[in-house]
Amino acid sequence: MRVTILLFARLREIAGESVMVRNVPANSTARTLWTGLVQDFPEFDAYTGSVSTAINEEYAQMGSIVSDGDEVAFLPPVSGG
């Protein structure tokens, strides 16, 4: 199945793009997608414990199952004042 991944802030900078499309097996979770991204971009691993996830613009847990056509966003913590 095909999903769209959106990356924000530092994740976008590391990957060099903000949107990517991936083909993943049925019953994949947001964590499955994240694990694949960490393999492709090892610097992402620093955010594993703090990244937020949204599926189709709704905050979601990493264990949430994604469906064909879903849009999955990964958002690192934001700092500033």
Side-chain angles (χ1 to χ4, degrees), residues 39-74:
Q39 289 176 352
D40 292 344
F41 306 100
E43 288 180 72
F44 279 21
D45 193 38
Y47 298 95
T48 295
S50 59
V51 71
S52 295
T53 307
I55 299 174
N56 299 324
E57 299 181 9
E58 300 269 338
Y59 278 104
Q61 300 293 318
M62 281 290 213
S64 299
I65 294 176
V66 296
S67 299
D68 188 45
D70 278 354
E71 184 177 82
V72 182
F74 292 106

Side-chain angles (χ1 to χ4, degrees), residues 8-58:
F8 292 90
R10 183 71 182 128
L11 300 177
R12 178 184 60 230
E13 292 171 10
I14 293 168
E17 57 188 315
S18 60
V19 179
M20 53 183 69
V21 176
R22 296 275 172 110
N23 291 310
V24 296
N27 297 317
S28 290
T29 63
R31 185 177 318 284
T32 305
L33 298 176
W34 180 253
T35 300
L37 290 171
V38 169
Q39 289 176 352
D40 292 344
F41 306 100
E43 288 180 72
F44 279 21
D45 193 38
Y47 298 95
T48 295
S50 59
V51 71
S52 295
T53 307
I55 299 174
N56 299 324
E57 299 181 9
E58 300 269 338

